[in-house]
């Protein structure tokens, strides 16, 4: 499992994020909504798996962010934007 994490967690997270980014921007501007809508939803769900693997692989570094105000501010801003 550690070899799988090291080899695929970050590249899969990056690749699926880029696909989600492009399809999300296309949906925002109503470009190809019929084509992008289903793909965006499903690939965003698939993105959860490599995201969890990426966080697991980088947990020590990731947990350091919670000791700094930047994480609290970023999470608060994200929550406010969602609301």
């Amino acid at each position: 499992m550690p070899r799988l994490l090291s080899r695929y967690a970050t590249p899969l997270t990056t690749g699926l994020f880029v696909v989600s980014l492009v399809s999300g921007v296309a949906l925002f501007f109503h470009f190809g909504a019929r084509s992008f809508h289903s793909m965006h939803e499903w690939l965003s769900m698939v993105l959860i798996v490599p995201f969890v693997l990426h966080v697991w692989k980088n947990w020590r570094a990731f947990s350091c962010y919670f000791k700094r105000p930047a994480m609290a501010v970023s999470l608060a801003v994200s929550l406010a934007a969602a609301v």
Side-chain angles (χ1 to χ4, degrees), residues 55-71:
V55 170
W56 183 16
K57 175 186 173 212
N58 298 293
W59 181 250
R60 182 174 290 152
F62 183 70
S63 64
C64 290
Y65 283 107
F66 287 98
K67 298 174 185 171
R68 301 181 194 138
M71 181 60 90

Side-chain angles (χ1 to χ4, degrees), residues 25-62:
V25 170
L27 288 170
F28 181 80
F29 288 108
H30 305 287
F31 176 76
R34 295 179 90 177
S35 301
F36 283 115
H37 188 268
S38 181
M39 178 193 70
H40 181 77
E41 285 182 343
W42 278 102
L43 289 181
S44 292
M45 296 306 294
V46 172
L47 178 58
I48 293 169
V49 173
F51 171 77
V52 169
L53 291 174
H54 178 75
V55 170
W56 183 16
K57 175 186 173 212
N58 298 293
W59 181 250
R60 182 174 290 152
F62 183 70

